[in-house]
Amino acid sequence: GIMIGVMLGLCLAPNLNMPLAYMRACLPWLNLARPSNTVIEALTGATRVVDGESINIQARVTNKGAPIDEAYLETRIENMAWQHLRMDTCPTEGVAQSTVERTGESSSVSKDFVFKLGPLHMKLEYRVQAGDGQSAIYEINVLPRPEVIGAKVSVRYPAYTGLQDQTFDYSHGDLSALKGSRVKLFVTANTPLAVAMLEFADDRCLSLAVEKNTAEGEFEVIADTSYRIRLRSQDGVSTP
């Protein structure tokens, strides 16, 4: 009973942030920010980027009284050690904001910080630290660019040639087939697809039938030409 009374008494102390501390201890899966007098808002939050791209991590730091001049971005991959990176102050700094408390008037000052992170190639976690505050942990997921990792070509030659149909693996280079041949293309991608197309040099386009991470289509050889395979993943990422 005495212990419960002490805990309740600590919760009533305005500067200790004990309710939040108890919640962090009892409910760690909620990923709550560390209790502090410095309030950190990770403006970027949890987000996604395309493989090989960079991202600006932005944070707003609010402190009672004196402004905070330094903020640090901490990042880690999976369960590795945190990397400590000093953030830059944004060109447009925060403006002092007046707040009224029961004890009278006090002021809080906000500043925005930014750090350009990347290029990224794998998922990571980050948090922001400034003053006595530390933000919650956020994830940055990296989306793969769709690419062809395997392809098969089936060629059905015109009847007059007497040639048998051929199927072979196709990676790159020229594809030779007699005029009038029917070509079937089977493509396997590195990620589930939403759209797959063949774009020919003569401005023709052929949509391929998509199923999960595979696509297939058929066309007739009518002249010498070239083509490229264009893909868009289910995450909305397209080939360059």
Side-chain angles (χ1 to χ4, degrees), residues 114-170:
V114 65
F115 189 91
K116 186 174 183 180
L117 194 61
L120 300 179
H121 299 287
M122 60 182 64
K123 182 176 76 172
L124 58 77
E125 296 177 320
Y126 79 91
R127 64 190 182 193
V128 178
Q129 187 274 328
D132 67 344
Q134 181 176 284
S135 74
I137 298 173
Y138 298 92
E139 283 189 352
I140 301 177
N141 286 301
V142 177
L143 304 177
R145 290 189 181 274
E147 61 182 42
V148 176
I149 59 174
K152 288 184 179 293
V153 173
S154 177
V155 180
R156 187 171 72 248
Y157 296 101
Y160 71 86
T161 65
L163 297 175
Q164 294 184 344
D165 296 353
Q166 285 187 319
T167 299
F168 51 90
D169 293 330
Y170 176 72

Side-chain angles (χ1 to χ4, degrees), residues 17-181:
N17 296 310
M18 292 307 296
L20 179 57
Y22 291 148
M23 290 182 66
R24 278 171 53 91
C26 298
L27 306 171
W29 58 86
L30 292 182
N31 189 27
L32 299 172
R34 187 170 69 190
S36 64
N37 292 316
T38 304
V39 178
I40 301 174
E41 182 182 1
L43 302 177
T44 305
T47 188
R48 306 186 302 175
V49 298
V50 178
D51 184 24
E53 292 186 351
S54 300
I55 184 173
N56 285 330
I57 303 297
Q58 293 181 288
R60 179 164 297 152
V61 178
T62 304
N63 191 59
K64 294 180 180 180
I68 296 294
D69 294 324
E70 295 182 0
Y72 294 89
L73 177 68
E74 297 180 325
T75 66
R76 70 178 179 187
I77 298 173
E78 293 183 351
N79 293 319
M80 297 178 65
W82 289 99
Q83 302 296 313
H84 202 61
L85 307 166
R86 182 169 179 173
M87 303 181 75
D88 298 318
T89 304
C90 286
T92 54
E93 296 183 356
V95 180
Q97 301 172 343
S98 296
T99 59
V100 178
E101 297 180 351
R102 292 181 180 178
T103 56
E105 290 190 357
S106 64
S107 63
S108 61
V109 181
S110 297
K111 276 191 176 183
D112 288 352
F113 296 85
V114 65
F115 189 91
K116 186 174 183 180
L117 194 61
L120 300 179
H121 299 287
M122 60 182 64
K123 182 176 76 172
L124 58 77
E125 296 177 320
Y126 79 91
R127 64 190 182 193
V128 178
Q129 187 274 328
D132 67 344
Q134 181 176 284
S135 74
I137 298 173
Y138 298 92
E139 283 189 352
I140 301 177
N141 286 301
V142 177
L143 304 177
R145 290 189 181 274
E147 61 182 42
V148 176
I149 59 174
K152 288 184 179 293
V153 173
S154 177
V155 180
R156 187 171 72 248
Y157 296 101
Y160 71 86
T161 65
L163 297 175
Q164 294 184 344
D165 296 353
Q166 285 187 319
T167 299
F168 51 90
D169 293 330
Y170 176 72
S171 56
H172 57 82
D174 296 333
L175 171 63
S176 298
L178 294 172
K179 183 177 180 179
S181 299

